[in-house]
Structures are given as C-alpha cells and as structure tokens.
Amino acid sequence: MDVLVVPADRPRGWYLSLMAPNTKGPTFAWVDPSRIYCNHQALSDCVHDILEPFQNEAIDLVAGIDAMGFVIGSAVATKLGKGFLAIRKAGNLCVPTHAQPYVDYSGCQKVLEVRLDVLKPGLRVLLIDQWIETGGTMKAAISLVERFGAVVVGVAAVAIENSQGGRWIKQNYRCSSCVPEELHPQIDRKYLDSFKTFNNLPQYMRVATGSLAGGRAAAPVLSLSPASLTPLKRLYDYFELVCLKMRRM
C-alpha cells in the first residue's frame, strides 16, 4: 500500500498496516510505527482513536515521552487544545529537572528527566508514547508526573504490548491504544500479517512467510506458522549478534 494513499474504507486501526517491519536486526524495535505519521489521514485517525476513551475526561496537559512520543503527543495536544510537556532523555534539558532511571525495551539502563516549573499537585496529565513494549519507559514517566502530585488521567500509545509491564500499566491506569481486538494476537507474536506486503523483509521473515523479496512465491523449503516467527527471530538475532561480534574482533 502506498503510504500516502487514503483508502475509501477506513475501519478502526486501518493505518496499522502502514507500519514497517524491522529489517536492521536485534538492536532495533520489531516494528516502525512512525510510517503512520506520513499519511495525514492515518495520523488524524490515530489521534481520534487514542482520544476515544478520554472524551469525557478533564485533561489539563498532555505529556509525551522522548522521542517518538513527541509526534503523537503533540498531535493529541493540538486536537485537545491543550499544552504539551516534553519528558526528555537525560542530558537534553538546560534547566533544573527531576530524573528517573529505568530499563527500556532493549534492556539498557537509561534516565528520563522533566523540568520543575510545569507539573504541580492536582494537574491532570495524559501521558503519551508511541509504543509500550516492556513498560519500563512509561512507568518511569508515570513516576516523574506523580512525584509532583500531578494526576495521571490516562496512558495512551499506538500499542500496549501484553508484557508484564504492559499489563501492570493497564491494570493500574486508564489506557488507550489503536489496536483492534482482532489484531492483538499479531502484536503478541511480534509479526503483523501486513508485513507480507513489504519487499525488504529480512531473511527469517521471507522464509517463514513463504515469499521472496521480489514478491514471488518462494520454494516450499520450510512450512512455518506465524506463531513460529518469534522464536525463529530470536535465533536469527542471536546469530546476527555473534557475526557482528566476530567482525569486530
């Protein structure tokens, strides 16, 4: 599908098929949602879907998490007619801040920071990020907001994965995502059926889905169900990391 084309039929979450698969290996997230923002109608519908559960909620401020949470967060803030607070990665703000360490989806230790002169007791904040995978980044942002006595009205993202951290967030806060119920199994296995339309799939996906980069049918060397993709990807990523380390020796 051409990323700029707006289809005549637009069911909830239609724009998720625009998301691109990871083709660069295990140091990157498994999916790139930012392709959604290239289509003006997709971005607009995404914002609409994210805000649907909060239509009757009083919101004073929208806060987005560095970096991709800035895109969807500022779009949400504009739609609401509210201000936008950037929650930054450490070392980017030249003013006094509060800091909160966390572990991100890749297992790396990081730190989030927020300025001291905006949040205050009772302020009602909607927290936005592009994607919630393990939940570590969002939990750090929640801690920063609540440290000031502000209220987290809700947590929103394009998707909230069914990880331990993702479940904790959904159990403790009002949440919103753009993923229809029927697509949750695809999110859980970290492979979308729409990936089959991409011509630059990595080798493990091309073999598993039975397609070649040119869109031609592959020889039936392997017959794997979509559920097999996650463990296959882990094995593929492991050997890719080993090869990378050997090249660096």
Side-chain angles (χ1 to χ4, degrees):
M1 179 181 177
D2 187 327
V3 70
L4 300 181
V5 170
V6 178
D9 183 29
R10 304 199 318 272
R12 189 179 189 280
W14 69 270
Y15 43 83
L16 297 175
S17 64
L18 297 175
M19 298 192 300
N22 169 9
T23 61
K24 290 189 173 181
T27 58
F28 294 84
W30 67 273
V31 64
D32 173 27
S34 69
R35 196 166 180 261
I36 292 172
Y37 313 144
C38 299
N39 184 304
H40 76 281
Q41 190 62 57
L43 178 57
S44 177
D45 289 350
C46 179
V47 168
H48 175 273
D49 292 343
I50 275 179
L51 285 175
E52 192 171 13
F54 305 109
Q55 289 180 358
N56 300 316
E57 197 73 55
I59 297 171
D60 299 317
L61 184 70
V62 177
I65 300 175
D66 198 345
M68 297 311 297
F70 294 171
V71 178
I72 191 70
S74 58
V76 166
T78 300
K79 180 72 172 178
L80 289 173
K82 302 296 180 180
F84 176 79
L85 172 66
I87 298 178
R88 302 300 310 272
K89 292 173 183 173
N92 289 308
L93 286 170
C94 61
V95 296
T97 62
H98 274 322
Q100 178 65 43
Y102 69 100
V103 178
D104 74 356
Y105 71 91
S106 66
C108 294
Q109 293 276 351
K110 296 184 178 179
V111 177
L112 285 181
E113 290 185 336
V114 68
R115 62 189 311 124
L116 306 181
D117 54 357
V118 176
L119 296 171
K120 59 185 178 181
L123 194 72
R124 297 175 63 81
V125 180
L126 177 61
L127 270 170
I128 307 281
D129 203 359
Q130 176 174 261
W131 199 274
I132 298 175
E133 189 165 348
T134 62
T137 308
M138 182 56 73
K139 288 170 77 173
I142 290 170
S143 296
L144 283 174
V145 170
E146 293 182 340
R147 190 181 303 177
F148 290 85
V151 178
V152 176
V153 174
V155 171
V158 174
I160 303 174
E161 294 194 22
N162 191 34
S163 59
Q164 182 178 354
R167 291 192 300 272
W168 182 90
I169 291 168
K170 287 187 280 190
Q171 289 165 3
N172 289 277
Y173 294 89
R174 177 177 288 186
C175 291
S176 176
S177 79
C178 303
V179 181
E181 191 64 34
E182 62 271 17
L183 286 184
H184 279 293
Q186 296 181 39
I187 298 295
D188 290 344
R189 71 183 183 232
K190 300 183 185 297
Y191 178 83
L192 304 178
D193 289 346
S194 57
F195 286 175
K196 298 174 186 176
T197 65
F198 286 81
N199 292 328
N200 59 341
L201 290 177
Q203 183 63 34
Y204 74 89
M205 283 188 181
R206 293 203 302 272
V207 172
T209 59
S211 61
L212 294 174
R216 296 174 286 110
V221 178
L222 290 175
S223 177
L224 299 175
S225 67
S228 305
L229 288 168
T230 297
L232 183 61
K233 181 181 185 303
R234 292 196 187 104
L235 183 61
Y236 179 89
D237 289 348
Y238 171 76
F239 283 111
E240 190 173 62
L241 281 173
V242 170
C243 291
L244 180 63
K245 289 179 180 179
M246 291 178 67
R247 286 198 297 269
R248 290 176 176 174
M249 291 177 63

